[in-house]
Amino acid sequence: MLPHLSRAVCRPLLQGHFFSLHRRHLHDGARRMVVSPLVKDALSSSHPVVALESTIITHGMPYPHNLETALEVEEVVKQEGAVPATIAVLHGQVHVGLSEEQLRDLATKKDCIKTSRRDFPYVLAKGLTGGTTVSGTMVVAHRVGIPIFVTGGIGGVHRGAQTTMDISADLTELGRTPVCVVCAGVKSILDVGRTLEYLETQGVCVSVLGLDARFPDFFTRNSGFLAPSHVESPGLAALMVQKRAELSLDSGMLIAVPIPEEHEAEGHLIKEAIDQAVEEAASISGRDVTPFILSRVSEITAGQSLKSNIGLIKNNAKTGSQIAAEFARLTSPASRYVPPIQESNSSSLETEDSARPVVVGGSIVDFVVTVLEPQFEFTGRTHSGTVTQSYGGVGRNLADALVRLGCHPFLVSAVGSDSHASALTAHNPKLGREGLRVVSKESTAVYCVLLDQKGEALMGVGDMAMHEHITPSHIHQFEDELRRAPLVLMDGNLSQRTINYTLDLCSEAGVPVWYEPTDMRKAVKPWLEGRGHAVTFASPNLHELRALCSLLQLGEVGEAPTTSQDVPHLVQHVLGITAPLLQHIHALMVTMGRFGFMILRRAPVGRENDPLLPVPSRGEVEGEPVALYFSAVTTERVVSVSGAGDCLTAGFVASMMRKEKVGRCGAAGLAAASLSLDAMPAVPETLNPGVLDADHHVFSLVRL
């Protein structure tokens, strides 16, 4: 064909022509896939899409459980605001996004081919129907541009692979296809340790979504092995996906989500069943091993493993959809994606377009050190314990909690230009960044708290220099937001100048201010230079109230209660000495740890429970000082007290802004605090608008 060119010259030309054709064929292959209109529209509009495999339908569960689970999983994805895209091969064509009828056909068809990367040429050429494995689903998801894929668990290194070389194609696929796989870890029938080693060799980023790096093994939360890393939230997982994409890494990612505790099967029962099933499968090889073992484990455990399987898959779908949603927000500002808002029996006070509460305060990365030994000594020796990272700062905690409670706060804060800031802002992407000041070449504020075995704080150390960058000039940029706000919440981490400026602005604009002291030294800041009259609400604990009363010469607060019998006398005493202060402050929330809190206000007889908003004019406050005492909600366990006070305040404030009565506000605050106590993060992901509808809490009324 090319008579005047030598073979040496022809070869590179022909090779170049081949690779050009090869690339074009790959592109054409993606176009030849049958993508459902819903998935196609979602991808074109940068809406979050979640890929789902189909071998769980064709080979993973018996009918009708396979169909029911497939439909329920798709519904979970939709509830999180994403579009499900179940992938399968139907009659020789790759389909992305299946109808209910197609799912039903797939669930009842007997001769489906388990389709991995290697099987596509055969299945497509023969016009067969196949359920795509993890490997096969990753291939298709990447071709059509879906970055997040949810499955139950991945394949791995089989037991005895050192002699059989039985290693799942899922692992090599993770090493060469840039898709994030969200699963419950490695299937427990496999060799978990060798699988993690193999993934490391393949360059796969493996991370557990949780408060520690304990790697799950499908049916149980702890396989006994540690992952290389862990992330605390779907937002941070999405940030990892974004960073991998920015580096154009060709390898995939694995996000391991531990099975929820309520779906965790008895560990010993599962392990014994697996050992028995593996022994029975000795004569089976290849792709038939896993389905056989899973089926036998279900039989041996009388269906318990199947129930756990369904529970973990639905949980993975929820988490994966949240990651997809956060990734869409991170990568496409123009996305039409709107986070779903949990419905509540009562409507929220404001919408995105109306006046928003403003929170001015610190943003901090928290390190929580928990000593696991009963005796602790400051002698320099090493104590056994745990160290976890979370995100806080009183101001940011309040804003984070208010977002989760269905409010739309405007946060004014400052962070450095470091990795802490990236993690902090990614933790809850629904919390806007408009008011955030990023200071180059400076460090984000960091706080380390030391907890004992019971979760009680022993001491804390903080690097808070960043708070000096929340200056009056920075606040001034958002003057309009402050003037329109129904409420401004401010923490004591701010400098004296910034506190003065903010209080002057709010006083002049007639905007009520809630002051959160943060510690004894900072509790008095508004009163040090004559701005106390601008504080409408304050939420000190007993120690902070003692410092304030000492400054104002109101009297001695007294010691914190040691038993519940001490509380009535203390409430009466505190009400007495703070009565003069209630001529200027509309209400005080005084917290007492495990003994609950009290609301101090002035009110006529019969109106003590009236809503605290709107705030009447100074001269219109009627009635005598009164205290409404709320006992703490009894909790079965306390994981950490860090953040409980902030969640208490946020729950109370969110309900208060709905103009609820004080009793309902107190119930909402206690419900929010209870969720915080049961979690390591200061503001738990379980916090939701439903707490605002908590049952009315009985309170004690105390008058002078």
Side-chain angles (χ1 to χ4, degrees):
M1 291 179 62
L2 299 172
H4 303 296
L5 296 179
S6 68
R7 184 176 302 175
V9 173
C10 279
R11 185 180 296 114
L13 287 175
L14 291 172
Q15 287 176 338
H17 178 64
F18 169 78
F19 287 121
S20 175
L21 285 174
H22 179 62
R23 286 191 296 269
R24 188 164 72 246
H25 287 164
L26 285 179
H27 182 66
D28 290 343
R31 289 192 310 201
R32 290 170 183 163
M33 295 177 185
V34 181
V35 182
S36 74
L38 186 61
V39 172
K40 187 178 296 183
D41 180 65
L43 291 172
S44 64
S45 61
S46 300
H47 192 98
V49 179
V50 173
L52 301 170
E53 62 151 300
S54 50
T55 50
I56 193 171
I57 304 171
T58 59
H59 295 78
M61 293 181 184
Y63 182 82
H65 298 291
N66 54 354
L67 177 60
E68 293 169 353
T69 301
L71 293 173
E72 289 170 2
V73 166
E74 289 207 347
E75 185 59 32
V76 169
V77 174
K78 294 173 185 176
Q79 288 175 358
E80 293 299 323
V83 172
T86 300
I87 294 171
V89 181
L90 304 179
H91 310 295
Q93 278 196 309
V94 176
H95 285 249
V96 182
L98 303 184
S99 67
E100 183 172 342
E101 183 180 354
Q102 289 172 324
L103 287 171
R104 188 177 303 277
D105 290 343
L106 202 61
T108 55
K109 193 171 179 59
K110 299 298 184 182
D111 55 350
C112 293
I113 305 298
K114 194 174 182 182
T115 308
S116 184
R117 170 187 279 265
R118 72 167 189 182
D119 305 297
F120 278 116
Y122 171 75
V123 175
L124 297 181
K126 298 277 284 186
L128 303 177
T129 293
T132 53
T133 65
V134 169
S135 170
T137 306
M138 288 181 70
V139 170
V140 176
H142 177 53
R143 290 292 191 275
V144 298
I146 302 175
I148 309 297
F149 160 41
V150 166
T151 185
I154 65 166
V157 178
H158 282 254
R159 300 182 185 187
Q162 61 270 28
T163 56
T164 66
M165 296 301 292
D166 192 353
I167 300 173
S168 171
D170 296 352
L171 303 188
T172 50
E173 200 65 56
L174 276 161
R176 61 185 171 188
T177 302
V179 169
C180 174
V181 179
V182 180
C183 67
V186 177
K187 294 186 176 86
S188 48
I189 61 176
L190 305 172
D191 189 324
V192 178
R194 285 189 170 91
T195 299
L196 287 172
E197 289 289 344
Y198 196 96
L199 287 169
E200 179 183 356
T201 302
Q202 292 291 318
V204 179
C205 175
V206 179
S207 193
V208 174
L209 183 60
L211 297 178
D212 56 52
R214 288 179 292 185
F215 191 77
D217 60 351
F218 203 70
F219 290 122
T220 57
R221 296 172 62 84
N222 184 10
S223 66
F225 294 90
L226 294 178
S229 65
H230 70 99
V231 290
E232 295 82 4
S233 69
L236 193 53
L239 183 63
M240 290 174 61
V241 179
Q242 181 193 27
K243 296 303 179 184
R244 185 213 57 75
E246 288 176 355
L247 287 174
S248 298
L249 297 178
D250 292 330
S251 54
M253 289 178 55
L254 185 70
I255 301 296
V257 183
I259 183 174
E261 291 182 1
E262 64 268 25
H263 296 303
E264 185 176 22
E266 291 292 335
H268 67 87
L269 177 65
I270 292 291
K271 292 184 184 303
E272 289 176 2
I274 289 171
D275 290 340
Q276 179 180 334
V278 168
E279 186 176 342
E280 294 175 6
S283 61
I284 302 173
S285 62
R287 67 179 68 189
D288 297 324
V289 173
T290 299
F292 173 82
I293 293 177
L294 290 177
S295 176
R296 282 295 292 139
V297 169
S298 180
E299 291 173 7
I300 296 168
T301 61
Q304 179 60 54
S305 64
L306 178 60
K307 293 178 183 178
S308 299
N309 194 354
I310 294 171
L312 71 85
I313 290 168
K314 291 166 71 172
N315 183 61
N316 293 348
K318 179 178 181 179
T319 304
S321 301
Q322 292 170 346
I323 295 172
E326 302 299 356
F327 182 73
R329 288 169 60 85
L330 286 171
T331 56
S332 180
S335 171
R336 299 204 306 254
Y337 164 66
V338 178
I341 298 174
Q342 183 169 342
E343 295 182 1
S344 175
N345 293 335
S346 302
S347 60
S348 178
L349 176 66
E350 67 282 338
T351 65
E352 289 283 5
D353 298 323
S354 64
R356 302 161 62 184
V358 174
V359 181
V360 185
S363 294
I364 303 173
V365 175
D366 290 327
F367 290 92
V368 180
V369 180
T370 304
V371 178
L372 299 180
E373 299 176 11
Q375 300 297 322
F376 178 78
E377 303 172 355
F378 287 94
T379 58
R381 79 174 183 88
T382 299
H383 293 75
S384 63
T386 61
V387 180
T388 59
Q389 177 181 325
S390 59
Y391 308 101
V394 172
R396 189 194 171 282
N397 280 349
L398 291 173
D400 187 2
L402 287 171
V403 166
R404 298 179 191 277
L405 291 169
C407 300
H408 307 288
F410 186 95
L411 175 63
V412 181
S413 190
V415 296
S417 56
D418 53 14
S419 59
H420 286 326
S422 298
L424 194 67
T425 54
H427 177 241
N428 186 353
K430 296 178 184 177
L431 186 58
R433 307 181 189 183
E434 309 99 309
L436 200 62
R437 180 181 183 184
V438 180
V439 185
S440 62
K441 299 182 181 180
E442 295 288 344
S443 300
T444 300
V446 176
Y447 175 71
C448 181
V449 63
L450 180 65
L451 307 180
D452 63 15
Q453 274 186 315
K454 300 177 181 179
E456 296 289 343
L458 299 175
M459 64 171 291
V461 178
D463 175 5
M464 305 297 178
M466 177 52 59
H467 296 148
E468 294 298 320
H469 292 282
I470 311 174
T471 60
S473 61
H474 181 56
I475 303 294
H476 179 71
Q477 296 179 54
F478 311 106
E479 180 177 343
D480 290 344
E481 282 77 7
L482 268 73
R483 288 182 177 276
R484 290 198 304 266
L487 181 70
V488 170
L489 297 94
M490 179 172 59
D491 76 27
N493 288 314
L494 305 172
S495 68
Q496 188 68 54
R497 288 190 311 119
T498 300
I499 286 178
N500 292 349
Y501 176 83
T502 305
L503 289 174
D504 287 344
L505 174 61
C506 292
S507 178
E508 187 268 327
V511 177
V513 175
W514 184 295
Y515 182 66
E516 171 54 55
T518 71
D519 69 29
M520 290 178 61
R521 295 175 297 106
K522 300 168 185 175
V524 300
K525 281 185 174 182
W527 290 267
L528 283 177
E529 298 183 7
R531 265 67 172 200
H533 65 278
V535 176
T536 318
F537 308 96
S539 46
N541 61 28
L542 285 173
H543 300 297
E544 294 157 355
L545 183 64
R546 182 179 297 115
L548 177 57
C549 289
S550 176
L551 175 72
L552 300 178
Q553 299 181 344
L554 297 178
E556 178 59 41
V557 169
E559 296 300 320
T562 56
T563 68
S564 57
Q565 286 73 29
D566 300 333
V567 173
H569 173 74
L570 178 65
V571 173
Q572 182 79 44
H573 175 68
V574 169
L575 179 61
I577 65 172
T578 57
L581 191 58
L582 294 175
Q583 296 176 4
H584 309 288
I585 287 185
H586 186 49
L588 280 172
M589 170 190 279
V590 181
T591 58
M592 298 180 290
R594 62 190 178 95
F595 294 102
F597 70 97
M598 64 182 99
I599 296 294
L600 309 177
R601 66 179 303 187
R602 299 174 72 90
V605 175
R607 294 180 55 189
E608 299 90 351
N609 194 29
D610 280 6
L612 291 169
L613 286 179
V615 178
S617 302
R618 295 287 181 183
E620 297 177 0
V621 179
E622 302 175 351
E624 298 300 318
V626 61
L628 289 78
Y629 168 67
F630 296 80
S631 59
V633 176
T634 303
T635 56
E636 294 183 1
R637 63 171 185 167
V638 175
V639 177
S640 172
V641 299
S642 178
D646 299 333
C647 288
L648 171 70
T649 299
F652 190 96
V653 166
S655 189
M656 183 180 77
M657 290 197 303
R658 300 202 309 185
K659 299 182 176 62
E660 300 282 6
K661 292 186 176 182
V662 175
R664 183 165 289 282
C665 296
L670 289 170
S674 180
L675 291 175
S676 177
L677 289 171
D678 192 42
M680 186 57 72
V683 180
E685 293 191 1
T686 52
L687 192 62
N688 65 85
V691 306
L692 302 183
D693 298 314
D695 292 338
H696 186 85
H697 195 80
V698 177
F699 57 84
S700 302
L701 196 61
V702 178
R703 285 190 173 275
L704 289 176

